[in-house]
Every structure is written in C-alpha cells, then in structure tokens.
Amino acid sequence: MNVRQLTLATTSLLAALGLAACSSSSGGSARADAGGSGGGTTVTVRIPDGGNSGVLALARKDGSLDKALAKVHAKVAWTGTAGAFAPAAQELDANALDFAEGSITSAIAALAQSPGFKLFAAVDPDQLGEGILVKKDSGINSVSDLVGKKVAVWHGGTSEYLLLKALEQQHVPVDRVKRVYLQPNQIGPVFNSGQVDAWSTWATYSVPTIANSGARFLTTGGQVGSENYAVWAVRNGFAKDHPEVVKALYDYLHTAGLAQQQNPEAYLNVKTTSGPEAVSPAQKAVQLPIDKALGTAQPIGATQLAHFATVAQFFADQKITKGALDVTPYVIDITAPAAAAK
C-alpha cells in the first residue's frame, strides 16, 4: 500500500465464494442500524482490519475513522485482514466487504473477470518497497542472471507485473525464466529454503525478508519504471447507495496519508510492540524510508488513467489478460458532486 499490508486468509476467500452464490456483484448494501444521528440510520462500513501498522491500524486504535464517518451517519465494522487484492475483490463481488485497497495490476486482473467494484482513489507507485528479492550470497547480480532460474510470483498482480517489467527492460525472453506460482504467504519458506532463486513481491513481504533473512533487492519498482499504483476500491452497490460515505472515507485516507508521510514511525506497532505482528527494530529501519517516500490517496484523474491504460496494455501483451481492459468505466470521480452515485 503499511498501506499495502497486505494477506486475506484462504478461509476468507472461501467464505466469499460461498456468499457469491446468493449475492449480486452490483446489488445489496451495507447493513443499516437504527439510531443514526439526526434520527436516521447508521450505515455499517465493512473494511479490512489494518493490523498493527499503517493508516487503518491507527484509525481503529484511536477511533478517528469512526469519528470521521459519523458525520455521514456511518461506522466501521473491521473484518478480516488487509492483504492481497484478489481475495478482497472476491469479497467485494460477493457483498462480504465494502472497501479494500490493492494494486492497479491486481485490480485490472480482477475487473477482467468480475467487475463487482469501482475504484475511487489512487496512491503513487511504491518505488522502494516493491521489487525482486534475491539472497545476498546468491550470485545473482543482474536481471539477466535470472535466465534458467526459478522466480516465485503471485499470479496476475504486483508480483508477476514487476518480474515481467524487469525482464522486458533488460530484453530477457520471458520463457527463459521459470515462474513458480504460489500464494504470497506461502513463498517465504520456499524462498528461504532455496527452492526458488528469487521472489518478486511488495513491501509487506520484502521488508521482513530483507530485515531478517539476508535478502536484497535485485531491482526495485522504481528501477523498472513501475506504474503499479495502489488503488482503493468500493463495492458497486455501496457506491451507488452511499456516495457520501465513499467521499468521507476518501477525505480521511487523503489526510491520514499526509500525516503518515510526515511521521511514519507513529504508524508502526500501533497495537503492540511484541509478538508476530510487531515490527522489529531491523524491520523498522527498512520500513521507515519506504513509508516516508509513499504518497497519499489522490483522486483518479487523467494522469492516473493514462498509467492504468499502459498497465492494462502491458498485461494484455504479456497474455496475463485477454485484451487490454479499459479501466475508465470502473472509476469514480471522487471530486464530482455525488459522483459515486453515477
């Protein structure tokens, strides 16, 4: 995304798929509880738990997001954990989730299959925290050294995109490098045990791996010219029924992102400084420069749409999707009055 923290459990995906049989991708709305301010109803907004670090983690701890949403008669129901966007897209489609954050690469792959959501905000690509990891003593010192090697990737999103961009940049034929498809939370042990030679991934996984496992970036998103924006998605039915809540959440994310840039350390270890969720001092040293360099949520305008189109064409050229998806119909202009309702 921190912001890109990304893994929804497999059980969440299975639950979403089960719900899909009885839910419409565009229908339904969030639960409304009686007793909202002004004598109306309070809309319950389902958002993935931000965990122990990042904007949403602090929002849950201090109640600031609930306070912001209360102005539009809404409140948060934290559900699951923020993670890879593919399972979150399934939950949006199945009316099991109202908002989620992911990458434009994953969003394009998901929209090409089941357009159950729209995009309403974008964050500039992570130039420092995404890339291809190798072990320090691997002897792999250039992208061309990946020829004949195995690289672990997560299919059809950030991970595969970064690898393919790196290969294209260095004119390495894609069929000369073996892609090993695994779920993100399965790759760490496979990489550490040497069953694969490299790992294309994002900050949620790169930071602890660099800090704890003697890994280094072979190349980063910035070095390969990544256009992999982070994006915020909203379920179609929710966008139609509650445009004022979409706008209120956007405003919160924009402001909170600016605050995180100024003081990124305040957004680490929000709930606890110990245990498996905690960011260690070694991880913090890697994470803080990444967080400080990240942007904040912005409206999706002509600049972002042009980059999205380039990514969509790249995925089509690489046979990840069938044809270049036009993202424009799935974008909400958050700056337009009642835009989310259109």
Side-chain angles (χ1 to χ4, degrees), residues 159-310:
S159 181
E160 194 163 25
Y161 170 78
L162 292 169
L163 174 61
L164 294 173
K165 283 285 289 184
L167 297 179
E168 179 188 61
Q169 183 187 63
Q170 298 302 316
H171 308 291
V172 176
V174 296
D175 60 359
R176 301 287 302 279
V177 177
K178 173 67 174 178
R179 279 171 271 177
V180 179
Y181 293 109
L182 295 168
Q183 294 188 29
N185 59 352
Q186 297 175 329
I187 300 177
V190 175
F191 175 75
N192 291 331
S193 66
Q195 296 178 65
V196 296
D197 304 289
W199 177 7
S200 185
T201 191
W202 59 92
T204 297
Y205 300 101
S206 68
V207 169
T209 305
I210 290 170
N212 304 327
S213 303
R216 59 179 170 83
F217 274 125
L218 177 65
T219 189
T220 63
Q223 290 170 328
V224 302
S226 171
E227 296 173 273
N228 188 36
Y229 282 75
V231 290
W232 273 93
V234 56
R235 182 173 57 82
N236 286 342
F238 193 98
K240 179 180 179 181
D241 295 340
H242 307 290
E244 72 290 347
V245 179
V246 179
K247 180 63 164 62
L249 177 60
Y250 166 79
D251 289 341
Y252 180 88
L253 293 170
H254 175 78
T255 302
L258 292 174
Q260 184 183 30
Q261 277 184 303
Q262 296 302 312
N263 185 18
E265 192 161 4
Y267 291 80
L268 297 178
N269 288 334
V270 171
K271 293 193 300 184
T272 180
T273 58
S274 62
E277 282 191 285
V279 177
S280 69
Q283 288 175 238
K284 187 179 293 187
V286 179
Q287 185 75 57
L288 286 175
I290 294 171
D291 290 352
K292 194 168 185 63
L294 286 175
T296 190
Q298 300 283 355
I300 298 174
T303 297
Q304 290 78 14
L305 287 172
H307 287 293
F308 295 176
T310 302

Side-chain angles (χ1 to χ4, degrees), residues 54-75:
V55 166
L56 293 183
L58 189 58
R60 180 169 188 174
K61 180 179 180 180
D62 65 13
S64 56
L65 180 55
D66 266 323
K67 183 177 179 181
L69 294 185
K71 298 175 182 178
V72 289
H73 316 301
K75 65 179 182 180

